[in-house]
Amino acid sequence: MQEKDMVLDVLGGVKSSLSHYATFISETANPTLRQTFQKMRDGDEKFQYDLYKIAEQKGYYATSPSATQQDMSTVKSALSGGSPGHMAMH
């Protein structure tokens, strides 16, 4: 297995773990356990970002083009309830 494949595999695994943390945190009633999960998530997010930056520098990971102001306005509008099908939580 090549270094690039290993790096991308680890990035994928950490991405999966991060999505699981969201579930664990939202479903944990114990404040101490919830805080532990949040710290673990924060550490994994930092690790993922640091590894991503290395992968990007080595050319293993191609970034998306930068978003335009219009793109950002569209996403902001959709997330704030401006698009059909958006379910606002009250």
Side-chain angles (χ1 to χ4, degrees), residues 13-58:
V14 174
K15 182 178 179 180
S16 176
S17 293
L18 290 172
S19 67
H20 292 301
Y21 283 127
T23 301
F24 299 157
I25 291 165
S26 67
E27 295 180 359
T28 301
N30 181 297
T32 304
L33 183 57
R34 182 181 175 92
Q35 185 176 36
T36 299
F37 284 140
Q38 288 170 329
K39 286 180 182 178
M40 291 169 65
R41 178 210 51 212
D42 293 348
D44 279 3
E45 284 177 341
K46 181 183 179 332
F47 171 77
Q48 185 274 340
Y49 185 72
D50 292 345
L51 185 58
Y52 154 76
K53 293 306 284 181
I54 291 168
E56 181 184 39
Q57 290 171 357
K58 290 186 170 228

mmCIF file of all heavy atoms in Angstrom, residues 13-58:
data_model
loop_
_atom_site.group_PDB
_atom_site.id
_atom_site.type_symbol
_atom_site.label_atom_id
_atom_site.label_comp_id
_atom_site.label_asym_id
_atom_site.label_seq_id
_atom_site.Cartn_x
_atom_site.Cartn_y
_atom_site.Cartn_z
ATOM 1 N N GLY A 13 -11.307 7.324 7.739
ATOM 2 C CA GLY A 13 -11.669 6.750 9.032
ATOM 3 C C GLY A 13 -11.967 7.814 10.073
ATOM 4 O O GLY A 13 -12.929 7.699 10.841
ATOM 5 N N VAL A 14 -11.159 8.870 10.095
ATOM 6 C CA VAL A 14 -11.387 9.951 11.053
ATOM 7 C C VAL A 14 -12.683 10.681 10.720
ATOM 8 O O VAL A 14 -13.455 11.033 11.615
ATOM 9 C CB VAL A 14 -10.188 10.930 11.092
ATOM 10 C CG1 VAL A 14 -10.481 12.131 11.966
ATOM 11 C CG2 VAL A 14 -8.933 10.220 11.578
ATOM 12 N N LYS A 15 -12.949 10.868 9.446
ATOM 13 C CA LYS A 15 -14.207 11.516 9.037
ATOM 14 C C LYS A 15 -15.400 10.716 9.547
ATOM 15 O O LYS A 15 -16.373 11.280 10.062
ATOM 16 C CB LYS A 15 -14.249 11.639 7.516
ATOM 17 C CG LYS A 15 -15.474 12.331 6.988
ATOM 18 C CD LYS A 15 -15.406 12.456 5.473
ATOM 19 C CE LYS A 15 -16.637 13.121 4.924
ATOM 20 N NZ LYS A 15 -16.583 13.244 3.461
ATOM 21 N N SER A 16 -15.327 9.415 9.432
ATOM 22 C CA SER A 16 -16.393 8.546 9.924
ATOM 23 C C SER A 16 -16.540 8.677 11.444
ATOM 24 O O SER A 16 -17.651 8.778 11.964
ATOM 25 C CB SER A 16 -16.102 7.100 9.538
ATOM 26 O OG SER A 16 -17.069 6.235 10.077
ATOM 27 N N SER A 17 -15.415 8.681 12.146
ATOM 28 C CA SER A 17 -15.443 8.827 13.605
ATOM 29 C C SER A 17 -16.089 10.146 14.018
ATOM 30 O O SER A 17 -16.863 10.191 14.975
ATOM 31 C CB SER A 17 -14.028 8.765 14.186
ATOM 32 O OG SER A 17 -13.476 7.488 14.019
ATOM 33 N N LEU A 18 -15.767 11.205 13.286
ATOM 34 C CA LEU A 18 -16.331 12.514 13.626
ATOM 35 C C LEU A 18 -17.858 12.511 13.513
ATOM 36 O O LEU A 18 -18.530 13.123 14.341
ATOM 37 C CB LEU A 18 -15.717 13.606 12.740
ATOM 38 C CG LEU A 18 -14.246 13.920 13.017
ATOM 39 C CD1 LEU A 18 -13.689 14.861 11.960
ATOM 40 C CD2 LEU A 18 -14.059 14.491 14.405
ATOM 41 N N SER A 19 -18.380 11.828 12.541
ATOM 42 C CA SER A 19 -19.847 11.783 12.415
ATOM 43 C C SER A 19 -20.457 10.987 13.563
ATOM 44 O O SER A 19 -21.553 11.305 14.037
ATOM 45 C CB SER A 19 -20.274 11.220 11.069
ATOM 46 O OG SER A 19 -19.933 9.865 10.950
ATOM 47 N N HIS A 20 -19.752 9.976 14.050
ATOM 48 C CA HIS A 20 -20.253 9.204 15.188
ATOM 49 C C HIS A 20 -20.239 10.030 16.471
ATOM 50 O O HIS A 20 -21.143 9.901 17.301
ATOM 51 C CB HIS A 20 -19.441 7.920 15.385
ATOM 52 C CG HIS A 20 -19.620 6.923 14.295
ATOM 53 N ND1 HIS A 20 -20.849 6.378 13.955
ATOM 54 C CD2 HIS A 20 -18.732 6.361 13.447
ATOM 55 C CE1 HIS A 20 -20.709 5.537 12.959
ATOM 56 N NE2 HIS A 20 -19.414 5.508 12.622
ATOM 57 N N TYR A 21 -19.227 10.870 16.623
ATOM 58 C CA TYR A 21 -19.180 11.728 17.814
ATOM 59 C C TYR A 21 -20.428 12.595 17.910
ATOM 60 O O TYR A 21 -20.950 12.814 19.005
ATOM 61 C CB TYR A 21 -17.942 12.626 17.811
ATOM 62 C CG TYR A 21 -16.659 11.931 18.181
ATOM 63 C CD1 TYR A 21 -15.542 12.000 17.362
ATOM 64 C CD2 TYR A 21 -16.546 11.209 19.371
ATOM 65 C CE1 TYR A 21 -14.360 11.360 17.703
ATOM 66 C CE2 TYR A 21 -15.368 10.568 19.710
ATOM 67 C CZ TYR A 21 -14.274 10.655 18.870
ATOM 68 O OH TYR A 21 -13.104 10.030 19.209
ATOM 69 N N ALA A 22 -20.896 13.109 16.799
ATOM 70 C CA ALA A 22 -22.097 13.953 16.812
ATOM 71 C C ALA A 22 -23.271 13.199 17.408
ATOM 72 O O ALA A 22 -24.029 13.740 18.229
ATOM 73 C CB ALA A 22 -22.426 14.429 15.403
ATOM 74 N N THR A 23 -23.410 11.933 17.051
ATOM 75 C CA THR A 23 -24.490 11.110 17.592
ATOM 76 C C THR A 23 -24.278 10.864 19.082
ATOM 77 O O THR A 23 -25.195 11.022 19.889
ATOM 78 C CB THR A 23 -24.573 9.755 16.848
ATOM 79 O OG1 THR A 23 -24.810 10.020 15.466
ATOM 80 C CG2 THR A 23 -25.686 8.891 17.403
ATOM 81 N N PHE A 24 -23.058 10.479 19.452
ATOM 82 C CA PHE A 24 -22.766 10.197 20.868
ATOM 83 C C PHE A 24 -23.044 11.423 21.732
ATOM 84 O O PHE A 24 -23.669 11.326 22.790
ATOM 85 C CB PHE A 24 -21.305 9.798 21.071
ATOM 86 C CG PHE A 24 -20.880 8.547 20.337
ATOM 87 C CD1 PHE A 24 -19.547 8.352 20.039
ATOM 88 C CD2 PHE A 24 -21.789 7.579 19.945
ATOM 89 C CE1 PHE A 24 -19.126 7.208 19.370
ATOM 90 C CE2 PHE A 24 -21.381 6.433 19.275
ATOM 91 C CZ PHE A 24 -20.037 6.248 18.986
ATOM 92 N N ILE A 25 -22.580 12.580 21.280
ATOM 93 C CA ILE A 25 -22.740 13.809 22.065
ATOM 94 C C ILE A 25 -24.211 14.166 22.208
ATOM 95 O O ILE A 25 -24.675 14.488 23.305
ATOM 96 C CB ILE A 25 -21.939 14.957 21.422
ATOM 97 C CG1 ILE A 25 -20.424 14.680 21.571
ATOM 98 C CG2 ILE A 25 -22.306 16.305 22.039
ATOM 99 C CD1 ILE A 25 -19.543 15.531 20.683
ATOM 100 N N SER A 26 -24.960 14.090 21.129
ATOM 101 C CA SER A 26 -26.367 14.489 21.183
ATOM 102 C C SER A 26 -27.225 13.520 21.985
ATOM 103 O O SER A 26 -28.298 13.885 22.456
ATOM 104 C CB SER A 26 -26.939 14.654 19.774
ATOM 105 O OG SER A 26 -27.001 13.404 19.122
ATOM 106 N N GLU A 27 -26.761 12.282 22.156
ATOM 107 C CA GLU A 27 -27.553 11.284 22.866
ATOM 108 C C GLU A 27 -27.048 10.989 24.279
ATOM 109 O O GLU A 27 -27.562 10.079 24.929
ATOM 110 C CB GLU A 27 -27.604 9.994 22.044
ATOM 111 C CG GLU A 27 -28.345 10.180 20.736
ATOM 112 C CD GLU A 27 -28.404 8.922 19.896
ATOM 113 O OE1 GLU A 27 -27.847 7.886 20.301
ATOM 114 O OE2 GLU A 27 -29.020 8.979 18.811
ATOM 115 N N THR A 28 -26.061 11.741 24.736
ATOM 116 C CA THR A 28 -25.487 11.499 26.061
ATOM 117 C C THR A 28 -26.048 12.479 27.073
ATOM 118 O O THR A 28 -25.911 13.688 26.917
ATOM 119 C CB THR A 28 -23.947 11.618 26.005
ATOM 120 O OG1 THR A 28 -23.462 10.658 25.067
ATOM 121 C CG2 THR A 28 -23.322 11.362 27.358
ATOM 122 N N ALA A 29 -26.678 11.954 28.107
ATOM 123 C CA ALA A 29 -27.271 12.797 29.144
ATOM 124 C C ALA A 29 -26.265 13.147 30.245
ATOM 125 O O ALA A 29 -26.376 14.191 30.875
ATOM 126 C CB ALA A 29 -28.476 12.097 29.767
ATOM 127 N N ASN A 30 -25.287 12.297 30.466
ATOM 128 C CA ASN A 30 -24.299 12.523 31.515
ATOM 129 C C ASN A 30 -23.341 13.641 31.085
ATOM 130 O O ASN A 30 -22.623 13.496 30.096
ATOM 131 C CB ASN A 30 -23.518 11.226 31.766
ATOM 132 C CG ASN A 30 -22.479 11.375 32.851
ATOM 133 O OD1 ASN A 30 -21.538 12.148 32.705
ATOM 134 N ND2 ASN A 30 -22.656 10.611 33.918
ATOM 135 N N PRO A 31 -23.316 14.766 31.821
ATOM 136 C CA PRO A 31 -22.490 15.911 31.419
ATOM 137 C C PRO A 31 -20.992 15.587 31.327
ATOM 138 O O PRO A 31 -20.312 16.079 30.425
ATOM 139 C CB PRO A 31 -22.743 16.961 32.506
ATOM 140 C CG PRO A 31 -24.011 16.553 33.161
ATOM 141 C CD PRO A 31 -24.108 15.063 33.025
ATOM 142 N N THR A 32 -20.492 14.771 32.233
ATOM 143 C CA THR A 32 -19.069 14.437 32.209
ATOM 144 C C THR A 32 -18.725 13.598 30.982
ATOM 145 O O THR A 32 -17.726 13.856 30.298
ATOM 146 C CB THR A 32 -18.669 13.684 33.495
ATOM 147 O OG1 THR A 32 -19.018 14.493 34.618
ATOM 148 C CG2 THR A 32 -17.190 13.388 33.532
ATOM 149 N N LEU A 33 -19.558 12.615 30.680
ATOM 150 C CA LEU A 33 -19.333 11.788 29.497
ATOM 151 C C LEU A 33 -19.483 12.615 28.225
ATOM 152 O O LEU A 33 -18.693 12.485 27.285
ATOM 153 C CB LEU A 33 -20.292 10.599 29.490
ATOM 154 C CG LEU A 33 -20.127 9.598 28.355
ATOM 155 C CD1 LEU A 33 -18.710 9.034 28.324
ATOM 156 C CD2 LEU A 33 -21.156 8.481 28.487
ATOM 157 N N ARG A 34 -20.465 13.490 28.213
ATOM 158 C CA ARG A 34 -20.685 14.367 27.055
ATOM 159 C C ARG A 34 -19.450 15.233 26.805
ATOM 160 O O ARG A 34 -18.985 15.360 25.675
ATOM 161 C CB ARG A 34 -21.914 15.235 27.308
ATOM 162 C CG ARG A 34 -22.275 16.151 26.178
ATOM 163 C CD ARG A 34 -23.514 16.974 26.580
ATOM 164 N NE ARG A 34 -23.838 17.942 25.572
ATOM 165 C CZ ARG A 34 -24.672 17.742 24.578
ATOM 166 N NH1 ARG A 34 -25.300 16.594 24.462
ATOM 167 N NH2 ARG A 34 -24.900 18.684 23.695
ATOM 168 N N GLN A 35 -18.903 15.787 27.880
ATOM 169 C CA GLN A 35 -17.701 16.624 27.749
ATOM 170 C C GLN A 35 -16.504 15.797 27.264
ATOM 171 O O GLN A 35 -15.705 16.263 26.451
ATOM 172 C CB GLN A 35 -17.386 17.284 29.086
ATOM 173 C CG GLN A 35 -16.236 18.270 29.006
ATOM 174 C CD GLN A 35 -16.001 18.974 30.328
ATOM 175 O OE1 GLN A 35 -16.142 18.386 31.390
ATOM 176 N NE2 GLN A 35 -15.632 20.243 30.256
ATOM 177 N N THR A 36 -16.400 14.562 27.721
ATOM 178 C CA THR A 36 -15.328 13.677 27.265
ATOM 179 C C THR A 36 -15.440 13.433 25.767
ATOM 180 O O THR A 36 -14.443 13.523 25.042
ATOM 181 C CB THR A 36 -15.361 12.342 28.039
ATOM 182 O OG1 THR A 36 -15.164 12.609 29.427
ATOM 183 C CG2 THR A 36 -14.301 11.383 27.537
ATOM 184 N N PHE A 37 -16.645 13.136 25.297
ATOM 185 C CA PHE A 37 -16.847 12.936 23.859
ATOM 186 C C PHE A 37 -16.509 14.209 23.072
ATOM 187 O O PHE A 37 -15.921 14.154 21.988
ATOM 188 C CB PHE A 37 -18.287 12.517 23.545
ATOM 189 C CG PHE A 37 -18.600 11.080 23.872
ATOM 190 C CD1 PHE A 37 -19.828 10.744 24.428
ATOM 191 C CD2 PHE A 37 -17.706 10.058 23.611
ATOM 192 C CE1 PHE A 37 -20.143 9.422 24.718
ATOM 193 C CE2 PHE A 37 -18.005 8.739 23.896
ATOM 194 C CZ PHE A 37 -19.230 8.410 24.452
ATOM 195 N N GLN A 38 -16.879 15.360 23.616
ATOM 196 C CA GLN A 38 -16.594 16.618 22.927
ATOM 197 C C GLN A 38 -15.087 16.851 22.820
ATOM 198 O O GLN A 38 -14.592 17.285 21.774
ATOM 199 C CB GLN A 38 -17.270 17.783 23.648
ATOM 200 C CG GLN A 38 -18.771 17.782 23.465
ATOM 201 C CD GLN A 38 -19.487 18.775 24.361
ATOM 202 O OE1 GLN A 38 -19.053 19.073 25.483
ATOM 203 N NE2 GLN A 38 -20.610 19.294 23.875
ATOM 204 N N LYS A 39 -14.344 16.547 23.882
ATOM 205 C CA LYS A 39 -12.889 16.699 23.846
ATOM 206 C C LYS A 39 -12.262 15.724 22.857
ATOM 207 O O LYS A 39 -11.328 16.083 22.124
ATOM 208 C CB LYS A 39 -12.293 16.489 25.239
ATOM 209 C CG LYS A 39 -12.542 17.645 26.177
ATOM 210 C CD LYS A 39 -11.941 17.389 27.552
ATOM 211 C CE LYS A 39 -12.242 18.539 28.483
ATOM 212 N NZ LYS A 39 -11.701 18.303 29.842
ATOM 213 N N MET A 40 -12.775 14.498 22.826
ATOM 214 C CA MET A 40 -12.272 13.511 21.871
ATOM 215 C C MET A 40 -12.540 13.978 20.441
ATOM 216 O O MET A 40 -11.670 13.884 19.564
ATOM 217 C CB MET A 40 -12.926 12.154 22.131
ATOM 218 C CG MET A 40 -12.485 11.512 23.432
ATOM 219 S SD MET A 40 -13.468 10.068 23.902
ATOM 220 C CE MET A 40 -13.070 8.929 22.579
ATOM 221 N N ARG A 41 -13.741 14.492 20.203
ATOM 222 C CA ARG A 41 -14.095 15.006 18.883
ATOM 223 C C ARG A 41 -13.179 16.158 18.487
ATOM 224 O O ARG A 41 -12.661 16.207 17.377
ATOM 225 C CB ARG A 41 -15.550 15.476 18.860
ATOM 226 C CG ARG A 41 -15.969 16.058 17.516
ATOM 227 C CD ARG A 41 -17.036 17.117 17.604
ATOM 228 N NE ARG A 41 -16.713 18.154 18.553
ATOM 229 C CZ ARG A 41 -17.637 18.809 19.260
ATOM 230 N NH1 ARG A 41 -18.907 18.531 19.135
ATOM 231 N NH2 ARG A 41 -17.270 19.763 20.096
ATOM 232 N N ASP A 42 -12.964 17.088 19.425
ATOM 233 C CA ASP A 42 -12.103 18.236 19.133
ATOM 234 C C ASP A 42 -10.689 17.788 18.775
ATOM 235 O O ASP A 42 -10.080 18.312 17.834
ATOM 236 C CB ASP A 42 -12.067 19.191 20.327
ATOM 237 C CG ASP A 42 -13.412 19.870 20.591
ATOM 238 O OD1 ASP A 42 -14.317 19.797 19.726
ATOM 239 O OD2 ASP A 42 -13.553 20.471 21.673
ATOM 240 N N GLY A 43 -10.168 16.796 19.499
ATOM 241 C CA GLY A 43 -8.838 16.278 19.209
ATOM 242 C C GLY A 43 -8.777 15.619 17.845
ATOM 243 O O GLY A 43 -7.815 15.809 17.083
ATOM 244 N N ASP A 44 -9.805 14.847 17.516
ATOM 245 C CA ASP A 44 -9.846 14.186 16.211
ATOM 246 C C ASP A 44 -10.010 15.197 15.078
ATOM 247 O O ASP A 44 -9.460 15.016 13.990
ATOM 248 C CB ASP A 44 -10.958 13.146 16.153
ATOM 249 C CG ASP A 44 -10.563 11.831 16.796
ATOM 250 O OD1 ASP A 44 -9.440 11.735 17.341
ATOM 251 O OD2 ASP A 44 -11.380 10.893 16.754
ATOM 252 N N GLU A 45 -10.766 16.275 15.318
ATOM 253 C CA GLU A 45 -10.915 17.308 14.293
ATOM 254 C C GLU A 45 -9.577 17.977 14.011
ATOM 255 O O GLU A 45 -9.225 18.225 12.859
ATOM 256 C CB GLU A 45 -11.946 18.357 14.716
ATOM 257 C CG GLU A 45 -13.368 17.880 14.577
ATOM 258 C CD GLU A 45 -14.387 18.897 15.058
ATOM 259 O OE1 GLU A 45 -14.012 19.823 15.819
ATOM 260 O OE2 GLU A 45 -15.552 18.766 14.685
ATOM 261 N N LYS A 46 -8.820 18.248 15.071
ATOM 262 C CA LYS A 46 -7.489 18.849 14.896
ATOM 263 C C LYS A 46 -6.578 17.886 14.148
ATOM 264 O O LYS A 46 -5.881 18.284 13.208
ATOM 265 C CB LYS A 46 -6.879 19.232 16.233
ATOM 266 C CG LYS A 46 -5.514 19.889 16.088
ATOM 267 C CD LYS A 46 -4.870 20.210 17.404
ATOM 268 C CE LYS A 46 -3.509 20.851 17.275
ATOM 269 N NZ LYS A 46 -2.710 20.567 16.125
ATOM 270 N N PHE A 47 -6.572 16.609 14.550
ATOM 271 C CA PHE A 47 -5.755 15.607 13.873
ATOM 272 C C PHE A 47 -6.125 15.510 12.395
ATOM 273 O O PHE A 47 -5.256 15.495 11.520
ATOM 274 C CB PHE A 47 -5.919 14.239 14.546
ATOM 275 C CG PHE A 47 -5.277 13.114 13.782
ATOM 276 C CD1 PHE A 47 -3.902 12.935 13.818
ATOM 277 C CD2 PHE A 47 -6.043 12.260 13.010
ATOM 278 C CE1 PHE A 47 -3.304 11.909 13.097
ATOM 279 C CE2 PHE A 47 -5.457 11.231 12.281
ATOM 280 C CZ PHE A 47 -4.085 11.062 12.331
ATOM 281 N N GLN A 48 -7.425 15.467 12.116
ATOM 282 C CA GLN A 48 -7.900 15.353 10.735
ATOM 283 C C GLN A 48 -7.438 16.549 9.914
ATOM 284 O O GLN A 48 -6.961 16.400 8.790
ATOM 285 C CB GLN A 48 -9.428 15.238 10.708
ATOM 286 C CG GLN A 48 -10.025 15.004 9.340
ATOM 287 C CD GLN A 48 -10.278 16.271 8.539
ATOM 288 O OE1 GLN A 48 -10.369 17.360 9.081
ATOM 289 N NE2 GLN A 48 -10.373 16.133 7.240
ATOM 290 N N TYR A 49 -7.548 17.742 10.476
ATOM 291 C CA TYR A 49 -7.151 18.942 9.737
ATOM 292 C C TYR A 49 -5.647 18.958 9.497
ATOM 293 O O TYR A 49 -5.187 19.276 8.393
ATOM 294 C CB TYR A 49 -7.598 20.207 10.473
ATOM 295 C CG TYR A 49 -7.308 21.457 9.687
ATOM 296 C CD1 TYR A 49 -8.042 21.764 8.547
ATOM 297 C CD2 TYR A 49 -6.286 22.322 10.063
ATOM 298 C CE1 TYR A 49 -7.771 22.899 7.807
ATOM 299 C CE2 TYR A 49 -6.006 23.462 9.329
ATOM 300 C CZ TYR A 49 -6.757 23.747 8.201
ATOM 301 O OH TYR A 49 -6.474 24.865 7.463
ATOM 302 N N ASP A 50 -4.872 18.612 10.521
ATOM 303 C CA ASP A 50 -3.415 18.587 10.367
ATOM 304 C C ASP A 50 -2.996 17.573 9.302
ATOM 305 O O ASP A 50 -2.127 17.862 8.472
ATOM 306 C CB ASP A 50 -2.736 18.261 11.702
ATOM 307 C CG ASP A 50 -2.879 19.373 12.736
ATOM 308 O OD1 ASP A 50 -3.250 20.509 12.366
ATOM 309 O OD2 ASP A 50 -2.639 19.091 13.931
ATOM 310 N N LEU A 51 -3.597 16.391 9.324
ATOM 311 C CA LEU A 51 -3.274 15.368 8.330
ATOM 312 C C LEU A 51 -3.734 15.806 6.941
ATOM 313 O O LEU A 51 -3.037 15.597 5.943
ATOM 314 C CB LEU A 51 -3.896 14.022 8.700
ATOM 315 C CG LEU A 51 -3.540 12.845 7.799
ATOM 316 C CD1 LEU A 51 -2.029 12.618 7.738
ATOM 317 C CD2 LEU A 51 -4.251 11.577 8.273
ATOM 318 N N TYR A 52 -4.884 16.435 6.866
ATOM 319 C CA TYR A 52 -5.376 16.954 5.592
ATOM 320 C C TYR A 52 -4.383 17.960 5.001
ATOM 321 O O TYR A 52 -4.091 17.920 3.806
ATOM 322 C CB TYR A 52 -6.751 17.604 5.779
ATOM 323 C CG TYR A 52 -7.060 18.661 4.745
ATOM 324 C CD1 TYR A 52 -7.416 18.302 3.441
ATOM 325 C CD2 TYR A 52 -6.959 20.007 5.055
ATOM 326 C CE1 TYR A 52 -7.670 19.272 2.489
ATOM 327 C CE2 TYR A 52 -7.217 20.975 4.109
ATOM 328 C CZ TYR A 52 -7.561 20.607 2.831
ATOM 329 O OH TYR A 52 -7.801 21.565 1.879
ATOM 330 N N LYS A 53 -3.849 18.858 5.824
ATOM 331 C CA LYS A 53 -2.902 19.860 5.342
ATOM 332 C C LYS A 53 -1.640 19.190 4.792
ATOM 333 O O LYS A 53 -1.110 19.603 3.765
ATOM 334 C CB LYS A 53 -2.542 20.866 6.447
ATOM 335 C CG LYS A 53 -3.692 21.770 6.877
ATOM 336 C CD LYS A 53 -4.348 22.508 5.743
ATOM 337 C CE LYS A 53 -3.531 23.659 5.240
ATOM 338 N NZ LYS A 53 -4.180 24.404 4.133
ATOM 339 N N ILE A 54 -1.171 18.134 5.468
ATOM 340 C CA ILE A 54 -0.004 17.393 4.982
ATOM 341 C C ILE A 54 -0.339 16.725 3.648
ATOM 342 O O ILE A 54 0.447 16.788 2.691
ATOM 343 C CB ILE A 54 0.447 16.351 6.028
ATOM 344 C CG1 ILE A 54 1.017 17.053 7.256
ATOM 345 C CG2 ILE A 54 1.464 15.383 5.429
ATOM 346 C CD1 ILE A 54 1.223 16.141 8.454
ATOM 347 N N ALA A 55 -1.504 16.084 3.580
ATOM 348 C CA ALA A 55 -1.918 15.412 2.350
ATOM 349 C C ALA A 55 -2.042 16.415 1.200
ATOM 350 O O ALA A 55 -1.640 16.124 0.066
ATOM 351 C CB ALA A 55 -3.238 14.679 2.569
ATOM 352 N N GLU A 56 -2.557 17.582 1.496
ATOM 353 C CA GLU A 56 -2.701 18.613 0.472
ATOM 354 C C GLU A 56 -1.327 19.071 -0.023
ATOM 355 O O GLU A 56 -1.105 19.199 -1.232
ATOM 356 C CB GLU A 56 -3.484 19.794 1.050
ATOM 357 C CG GLU A 56 -3.721 20.912 0.061
ATOM 358 C CD GLU A 56 -4.398 22.103 0.680
ATOM 359 O OE1 GLU A 56 -4.090 22.461 1.840
ATOM 360 O OE2 GLU A 56 -5.245 22.691 -0.005
ATOM 361 N N GLN A 57 -0.391 19.286 0.896
ATOM 362 C CA GLN A 57 0.960 19.719 0.523
ATOM 363 C C GLN A 57 1.665 18.682 -0.344
ATOM 364 O O GLN A 57 2.417 19.022 -1.252
ATOM 365 C CB GLN A 57 1.796 19.989 1.773
ATOM 366 C CG GLN A 57 1.373 21.214 2.535
ATOM 367 C CD GLN A 57 2.072 21.326 3.887
ATOM 368 O OE1 GLN A 57 2.839 20.453 4.292
ATOM 369 N NE2 GLN A 57 1.800 22.411 4.602
ATOM 370 N N LYS A 58 1.420 17.402 -0.077
ATOM 371 C CA LYS A 58 2.054 16.326 -0.839
ATOM 372 C C LYS A 58 1.317 16.034 -2.147
ATOM 373 O O LYS A 58 1.740 15.182 -2.920
ATOM 374 C CB LYS A 58 2.118 15.053 0.011
ATOM 375 C CG LYS A 58 3.108 15.155 1.155
ATOM 376 C CD LYS A 58 3.225 13.825 1.874
ATOM 377 C CE LYS A 58 4.386 13.884 2.840
ATOM 378 N NZ LYS A 58 5.240 12.711 2.718
#
